Amino acid sequence: MLEISNLHASIAGKEILKGINFSVKEGEVHAIMGPNGSGKSTLAQVLAGHEAYDVDLEKSRVTFLGQDLLDLPAEERARLGLFLAFQYPVEIPGISNSYFLQAAMNEIRKSRGLDELDAMDFDELLQEKMKMVEIDPGFASRAVNAGFSGGEKKRNEILQLAVLEPRLAILDETDSGLDIDALRIVSEGVNRLRSPNRAFILVTHYQRLLDYIVPDFVHVLYKGRIVKSGGRELALELEEKGYDWIRTEEDAGAPV
Amino acid sequence: MSTPKDSLETAAYEGSRVERSTREVEDLAKGEYKYGWTTDIETDTFPKGLNEDIIRAISARKQEPEWMLEWRLKAYRNWLRMDEPTWAKVHYEKPDFQDLRYYSAPKARKGPKSLDEVDPKLLETFAKLGIPLDERKLLAGVAVDAVFDSVSVATTHKEILGKRGIIFCPISEALREHPELVQKYIGSVVPTGDNFYAALNSAVFSDGSFVYVPKGVKCPMDLSTYFRINASETGQFERTLIIADEGAEVSYLEGCTAPMRDENQLHAAVVELIAHKDATIRYATVQNWYAGDEQGRGGIFNFVTKRGKCEGANSHISWTQVETGSAITWKYPSCLLMGDNSVGEFYSVALTRNMQQADTGTKMTHLGRNTRSTIISKTISAGRSDNSYRGLVRVMPKAENSRNYTQCDSLLLGDQCGANTFPYIDVRNTSARVEHEASTSKISEDQLFYCQSRGIGPEDAISMVVNGFCKEVFDHLPMEFAVEASRLLSVSLEGSVG
């Protein structure tokens, strides 16, 4: 469903992604790992359509469900079924979670020619999803992420994921800043949402998350390129050897 | 004289279009000012210029008592000796007061007794503005007084209100039917010599609303006045006087629009509120005067004096305003907290775009013991506009244990607009507690991206962030006004972010 070929992107003239290639099929879970500064979050944001990045449109090609993704603004990518769980979820004071999610859901439904849900129907759906991801019902009326703890923000992202039911969900360092209980709840939420027609890309620095959400594929990103791809065992190897292993190997072999 | 006839279509103008850096805004039509058309109606209009004869003529047209004329002339003579204030952070060409008309009224068919006698063109005008004056079509919960240029054309639900002893009528009618009440209260909160524009208003005001709620009566419905400026080169000077007697309660709403014209038009109103012991007055405004075009041509000069007096113990006055229109806004709805334990509140949203300038805020003067005031001001600036909050909190020596809480938040859209906060605090009693909080923020790219990544388009995202920013104020508006205010903000913001 997602094909990434030779993706180049830069910010403020500095090239961050230097030719990314990989593809994701329905139902698959891919993990993107790599040391700090390797371009993991940039990849997530570029796929979601953040306008701060300049994508080299001559070289890069990304298709999602058969559509040229790079042509679309962020909101249209979301309506198509792409979801980004933010590393740092943004606060929107004064707007309640339920209002925000209802607006988002109805935009997505409208774009697919479906009827909008009214507040009653939506509330029913929201209650059900909140139960599913073990979130307190009080969340619905709280302003979007305003005054939430780090863990609450991450759980709120998973709630949004559960409500919006995307085809492809990118989780950007969802595990960072979570204690072990929160990590368990978040992971269980994600596992419940796994399905044969939904794919996940987990962006993470640590192997820890992959103990809970077991990936089908692991890619190691380093200096803007995928330098190793493998199965679950690659993550374990990384944990054992550390990122220095990649650094030494790559920097030694790289052209000077 | 009649005004040029413009169709709704030709009068539509292209709203503010600041080019988005990344994406063209698709729907140009949305930013239009919807109320820019004019009504073609025969009017009774005075010649240009201001002198004692004009004032005598206004007073005569209104069949006012002699004392009223004397009051007006005194105000006029005061005004002649006054200078236009220059302390506000606004720039404009001073109006030529001899080049304005001070009275314009639709030619009446001998004073309509009921709605059936009101010129259908006027009813049509208000219906087009969304204010049906036909009582059968009206919302049951709101009584409306409709003011067209210098006169009130219709007041609804008078009978229901009358049964409870509530007076709700044009002030010109109150001067004829209840002169003793008007004489007792007019100028008691805003004296004729209070300031330049209040003095001018006192001299030439032509109409406005009068409300009296008797002792112990809770007004069963919201009262509302809708102001419409139609005639060109004519100032609108309305005067509103609201009195809540002991234990009474009333909620009052005010809305305004004007046609789009290339020249500036002057609106200089005075509003006086008097709350007696245990009384409550809530006053809400949604101001949507024509704001001028992108280059700053045309638009209303909105120079208004609004003040409430919490005269009795435990009285309560609350001002809520949503200001989106006018080329220049110069307005400080204030409270004089005289009665012990009295409460004053000011909740404001002021949005400026294009070349609009707003200098608005409040004055809370604590005179009685245990008096409390709350000020929540939200300003939103876009385009090349300039938006200032100016507020004074004054605690006088006898105001033991007074409390004030002030919160001023500014939101900037784009990088060519300005937001300023001018708080003045004058405390003369050591037991007082005065708190002031202020913040300035920009709508962040992050907020927009976050909404977009959930499927919400950038325009809707902006309007969502702004509405969230204003929530604390909207919560104080009656439901229907809150919806209208929220919609108005969204329309005003279309295409305002670069």
Side-chain angles (χ1 to χ4, degrees), chain B residues 98-337:
Chain B
Q98 295 306 331
D99 196 38
L100 279 178
R101 291 176 211 282
Y102 290 83
Y103 188 83
S104 173
K107 265 196 183 145
R109 307 166 173 181
K110 282 265 171 191
K113 288 274 177 295
S114 74
L115 280 169
D116 301 338
E117 293 175 38
V118 173
D119 190 324
K121 265 190 188 161
L122 287 171
L123 295 180
E124 209 178 283
T125 298
F126 282 96
K128 208 161 150 188
L129 292 167
I131 323 286
L133 296 174
D134 183 335
E135 291 193 11
R136 280 159 302 184
K137 288 184 195 152
L138 261 180
L139 290 156
V142 185
V144 178
D145 181 21
V147 176
F148 188 87
D149 288 336
S150 304
V151 292
S152 167
V153 295
T155 311
T156 64
H157 293 296
K158 271 177 148 170
E159 268 179 50
I160 301 179
L161 297 170
K163 276 184 199 148
R164 290 177 166 80
I166 297 165
I167 305 168
F168 177 42
C169 66
I171 199 164
S172 52
E173 187 182 315
L175 270 162
R176 290 191 299 270
E177 318 254 320
H178 313 280
E180 70 300 334
L181 275 176
V182 179
Q183 190 171 17
K184 182 173 171 192
Y185 290 106
I186 195 168
S188 70
V189 187
V190 180
T192 52
D194 187 80
N195 67 68
F196 184 82
Y197 282 103
L200 178 64
N201 173 286
S202 301
V204 303
F205 80 84
S206 40
D207 224 331
S209 293
F210 177 83
V211 177
Y212 174 79
V213 186
K215 270 185 197 178
V217 173
K218 293 191 179 10
C219 191
M221 57 178 73
D222 289 347
L223 306 182
S224 163
T225 301
Y226 196 89
F227 294 100
R228 173 73 177 172
I229 295 180
N230 188 61
S232 62
E233 301 175 306
T234 303
Q236 190 177 49
F237 304 93
E238 90 266 359
R239 185 113 195 165
T240 297
L241 182 53
I242 300 176
I243 302 128
D245 216 325
E246 283 187 29
E249 257 187 61
V250 62
S251 174
Y252 182 90
L253 321 168
E254 172 198 79
C256 3
T257 57
M260 295 181 295
R261 298 185 187 282
D262 286 340
E263 79 270 20
N264 294 112
Q265 283 183 283
L266 179 62
H267 172 255
V270 171
V271 175
E272 297 178 278
L273 313 181
I274 297 114
H276 287 283
K277 188 166 171 286
D278 301 319
T280 296
I281 301 175
R282 290 191 191 83
Y283 192 107
T285 307
V286 173
Q287 186 263 106
N288 187 21
W289 295 120
Y290 176 53
D293 65 11
E294 278 172 80
Q295 271 72 46
R297 279 183 306 245
I300 302 286
F301 287 170
N302 193 32
F303 300 151
V304 171
T305 306
K306 290 182 168 179
R307 197 174 302 157
K309 187 158 79 172
C310 283
E311 194 167 73
N314 312 313
S315 55
H316 185 164
I317 287 179
S318 161
W319 298 98
T320 305
Q321 59 172 20
V322 177
E323 305 278 314
T324 61
S326 298
I328 299 178
T329 300
W330 183 96
K331 172 178 164 186
Y332 314 90
S334 303
C335 295
L336 296 168
L337 304 170

Side-chain angles (χ1 to χ4, degrees), chain B residues 466-480:
Chain B
V466 170
N467 271 300
F469 175 76
C470 300
K471 181 167 186 295
E472 282 164 282
V473 174
F474 288 172
D475 283 350
H476 290 275
L477 286 172
M479 182 63 178
E480 215 161 313

Side-chain angles (χ1 to χ4, degrees), chain A residues 95-167:
Chain A
I95 295 296
S96 73
N97 249 331
S98 61
Y99 179 85
F100 177 74
L101 266 176
Q102 191 192 347
M105 176 149 213
N106 281 334
E107 286 296 337
I108 291 170
R109 289 180 67 92
K110 257 195 303 192
S111 75
R112 296 175 188 170
L114 298 168
D115 285 342
E116 297 185 33
L117 288 186
D118 64 21
M120 299 271 277
D121 290 342
F122 178 76
D123 190 57
E124 206 169 296
L125 175 92
L126 183 61
Q127 297 298 334
E128 177 198 318
K129 301 288 184 181
M130 284 197 293
K131 217 174 277 172
M132 175 177 169
V133 293
E134 296 179 49
I135 276 180
D136 186 273
F139 255 61
S141 53
R142 287 172 67 184
V144 181
N145 295 321
F148 283 27
S149 71
E152 285 177 328
K153 284 183 183 175
K154 295 294 172 74
R155 277 156 71 179
N156 200 26
E157 294 292 287
I158 303 305
L159 172 65
Q160 295 185 13
L161 169 57
V163 171
L164 300 179
E165 299 188 318
R167 300 291 306 280

Side-chain angles (χ1 to χ4, degrees), chain A:
Chain A
M1 65 167 36
L2 180 74
E3 315 265 348
I4 304 173
S5 123
N6 203 23
L7 177 60
H8 284 72
S10 56
I11 188 162
K14 189 172 180 268
E15 193 170 53
I16 311 280
L17 302 182
K18 302 171 182 171
I20 303 272
N21 297 286
F22 74 98
S23 51
V24 177
K25 293 196 182 68
E26 291 191 336
E28 291 179 351
V29 175
H30 290 241
I32 308 280
M33 301 187 68
N36 289 329
S38 58
K40 297 189 303 288
S41 281
T42 298
L43 175 61
Q45 302 223 351
V46 165
L47 290 177
H50 199 303
E51 290 173 4
Y53 298 94
D54 296 314
V55 175
D56 187 335
L57 293 172
E58 289 194 6
K59 295 177 184 160
S60 317
R61 187 160 166 77
V62 180
T63 57
F64 175 56
L65 297 172
Q67 290 220 39
D68 190 343
L69 199 66
L70 300 176
D71 275 355
L72 303 175
E75 67 272 18
E76 286 178 31
R77 299 182 193 196
R79 291 169 194 166
L80 206 55
L82 189 142
F83 181 91
L84 171 65
F86 280 54
Q87 182 177 7
Y88 303 108
V90 180
E91 301 189 359
I92 309 176
I95 295 296
S96 73
N97 249 331
S98 61
Y99 179 85
F100 177 74
L101 266 176
Q102 191 192 347
M105 176 149 213
N106 281 334
E107 286 296 337
I108 291 170
R109 289 180 67 92
K110 257 195 303 192
S111 75
R112 296 175 188 170
L114 298 168
D115 285 342
E116 297 185 33
L117 288 186
D118 64 21
M120 299 271 277
D121 290 342
F122 178 76
D123 190 57
E124 206 169 296
L125 175 92
L126 183 61
Q127 297 298 334
E128 177 198 318
K129 301 288 184 181
M130 284 197 293
K131 217 174 277 172
M132 175 177 169
V133 293
E134 296 179 49
I135 276 180
D136 186 273
F139 255 61
S141 53
R142 287 172 67 184
V144 181
N145 295 321
F148 283 27
S149 71
E152 285 177 328
K153 284 183 183 175
K154 295 294 172 74
R155 277 156 71 179
N156 200 26
E157 294 292 287
I158 303 305
L159 172 65
Q160 295 185 13
L161 169 57
V163 171
L164 300 179
E165 299 188 318
R167 300 291 306 280
L168 171 66
I170 304 167
L171 275 56
D172 187 8
E173 309 241 2
T174 296
D175 52 329
S176 70
L178 290 188
D179 62 30
I180 208 77
D181 292 330
L183 183 64
R184 180 192 55 80
I185 293 172
V186 164
S187 306
E188 282 173 7
V190 171
N191 284 331
R192 259 176 238 136
L193 293 165
R194 284 178 80 156
S195 88
N197 60 6
R198 177 172 302 134
F200 285 85
I201 298 175
L202 311 174
V203 173
T204 180
H205 186 81
Y206 300 104
Q207 201 294 125
R208 189 177 70 151
L209 176 69
L210 308 182
D211 286 340
Y212 295 90
I213 309 170
V214 181
D216 302 305
F217 301 94
V218 175
H219 308 279
V220 180
L221 195 61
Y222 182 61
K223 291 190 173 171
R225 286 193 189 89
I226 289 179
V227 295
K228 265 189 196 311
S229 291
R232 161 104 178 93
E233 67 292 344
L234 179 57
L236 297 169
E237 196 177 357
L238 262 180
E239 179 167 65
E240 197 183 311
K241 298 186 178 170
Y243 285 116
D244 279 347
W245 164 52
I246 300 289
R247 284 196 189 98
T248 329
E249 209 168 82
E250 278 303 304
D251 294 348
V256 182

